[in-house]
Amino acid sequence: MVFVMNAPQDVFRMLIQMWPEALRVVDNNGWTPLYWVCKKRQALEKIDMMIEWFPEALSTRTRIGDTPLHAAVNSPLPQVIELVARQCPAAIVMRNMNGNTPLVMAVEYGVSRETIQLFIDLNPAVVRVKNLDERTVLHSVCLKVATLETIRFLAGQWPLASLLLDTFNNSPYDLAVHTELDSSVLGDLIEALRDAAHAATANSVLP
């Protein structure tokens, strides 16, 4: 199967046409061929072809609960992430065994603000999903020292998240402080999270 997945585009197409059931094969780790090509950063055209032939693979999980979108967020090609996300918006809120959505993993890999925006546009509920440590994606961006612009953007998507405490009683601000940000940036962050907190209390937003 690895030989098939690594084959040049024209050879790959020919092999899949001859043996389409190969796209339904699952290995011992629960990886489908679609998950494999997303994980191994294969070409956009190859991924698109596999989705066309076997779209059900988009929501098939591995043994650790990952979907192909969890794998695709590490692609250096934004077009790959966009393709998989648009073809299966439901996967955006699917959590793996660690409780992480593809968006949280995307943040950890340092995706662009545009990709974060795309995920939220396709499935707005993702900003409210918490992982096993009760952290939202806002907690994650503060922990990973994302840009202030990204933090401010996410805080505005669901202001209440700026007030929420994780399992260890850390708010998004607490996590940002632990990253030892520059004092000037930290001041801007305080302002951004304070604005979000005020918006949450003013509107009486509940979890």
Side-chain angles (χ1 to χ4, degrees):
M1 180 55 66
V2 173
F3 166 75
V4 175
M5 297 301 104
N6 282 326
Q9 185 71 19
D10 55 342
V11 176
F12 175 81
R13 178 182 293 276
M14 179 188 69
L15 291 172
I16 293 304
Q17 289 175 337
M18 293 173 58
W19 185 32
E21 288 302 309
L23 297 179
R24 300 176 181 270
V25 174
V26 178
D27 69 12
N28 292 335
N29 294 315
W31 290 25
T32 62
L34 177 60
Y35 183 88
W36 194 94
V37 296
C38 289
K39 188 76 171 179
K40 300 300 181 179
R41 302 181 175 189
Q42 295 284 311
L44 177 67
E45 294 76 12
K46 190 175 291 186
I47 294 173
D48 191 24
M49 187 189 312
M50 297 180 76
I51 292 174
E52 179 183 354
W53 282 68
F54 184 40
E56 294 86 348
L58 286 163
S59 56
T60 300
R61 296 174 180 267
T62 67
R63 292 183 64 180
I64 62 171
D66 280 351
T67 66
L69 186 55
H70 284 87
V73 294
N74 193 27
S75 172
L77 300 175
Q79 301 93 322
V80 168
I81 303 175
E82 179 176 356
L83 171 65
V84 179
R86 288 190 180 281
Q87 291 294 327
C88 190
I92 293 172
V93 296
M94 291 182 179
R95 304 191 308 170
N96 61 18
M97 289 180 64
N98 293 321
N100 291 325
T101 64
L103 179 55
V104 167
M105 295 180 64
V107 166
E108 293 179 351
Y109 289 131
V111 298
S112 67
R113 157 72 187 279
E114 290 72 24
T115 296
I116 294 173
Q117 177 77 67
L118 172 68
F119 276 40
I120 295 173
D121 288 345
L122 292 173
N123 201 326
V126 70
V127 297
R128 297 172 180 255
V129 178
K130 300 175 184 178
N131 67 11
L132 299 184
D133 291 328
E134 292 294 306
R135 291 174 178 168
T136 66
V137 67
L138 179 60
H139 289 79
S140 295
V141 296
C142 289
L143 184 62
K144 295 299 177 181
V145 199
T147 64
L148 179 62
E149 177 191 13
T150 299
I151 293 173
R152 190 183 294 276
F153 167 71
L154 277 169
Q157 295 301 304
W158 189 39
L160 182 62
S162 64
L163 301 176
L164 298 181
L165 302 181
D166 64 16
T167 303
F168 310 100
N169 290 320
N170 290 315
S171 69
Y173 170 74
D174 295 325
L175 296 174
V177 169
H178 293 162
T179 62
E180 300 181 355
L181 291 172
D182 178 83
S183 59
S184 61
V185 175
L186 192 56
D188 289 338
L189 175 61
I190 292 172
E191 180 184 349
L193 294 178
R194 183 186 295 125
D195 290 345
H198 286 166
T201 54
N203 295 315
S204 300
V205 183
L206 299 175

